[in-house]
Amino acid sequence: MKGDTLMPAQLVNIGFGNSVVSKRVIAIISPNAAPIKRLRDEAREDRRLIDATQGRRTRSVIITDSNHVILSAIQSETIAQRFSPNCNLREEDLKEEK
């Protein structure tokens, strides 16, 4: 479409050769809080859990727009920097899509 300013989808490395599509990620959070542990358990029961830790300790939990929960062995701060290396948010990224 002409005049469409959609950001192209990019793959972001979440460790050990695993990647996620940047436009699908809703949140990157630390796994230590009790509500996050419950979220992880619910996702496992509903078969929405993706374990990308390769057997290592979970250091971040990624939530996608399809309600999948992805576990990563990479720190959440590191993954967030891979999304935006300069830690800058563009105004277009903050606007809701219609």
Side-chain angles (χ1 to χ4, degrees):
M1 290 182 178
K2 193 172 184 178
D4 227 352
T5 59
L6 291 178
M7 184 175 86
Q10 296 178 342
L11 289 177
V12 177
N13 186 338
I14 60 168
F16 306 109
N18 300 299
S19 301
V20 294
V21 177
S22 60
K23 295 285 281 183
R24 303 293 303 264
V25 173
I26 301 288
I28 306 166
I29 49 183
S30 174
N32 300 329
I36 305 308
K37 291 179 182 176
R38 282 193 299 272
L39 179 72
R40 180 172 48 184
D41 292 340
E42 289 173 8
R44 181 175 284 122
E45 289 173 9
D46 295 343
R47 301 183 56 83
R48 295 181 288 109
L49 183 71
I50 300 169
D51 188 350
T53 62
Q54 301 290 328
R56 292 177 175 75
R57 182 173 156 234
T58 299
R59 295 204 168 122
S60 63
V61 177
I62 301 167
I63 311 296
T64 66
D65 62 352
S66 62
N67 209 20
H68 283 84
V69 176
I70 304 170
L71 307 179
S72 175
I74 306 296
Q75 291 284 354
S76 55
E77 294 86 3
T78 303
I79 295 173
Q81 286 179 345
R82 291 177 182 178
F83 275 85
S84 178
N86 299 327
C87 295
N88 294 334
L89 287 176
R90 298 180 316 188
E91 190 173 326
E92 304 99 50
D93 294 337
L94 298 175
K95 291 181 182 176
E96 289 193 32
E97 293 182 20
K98 294 181 181 179

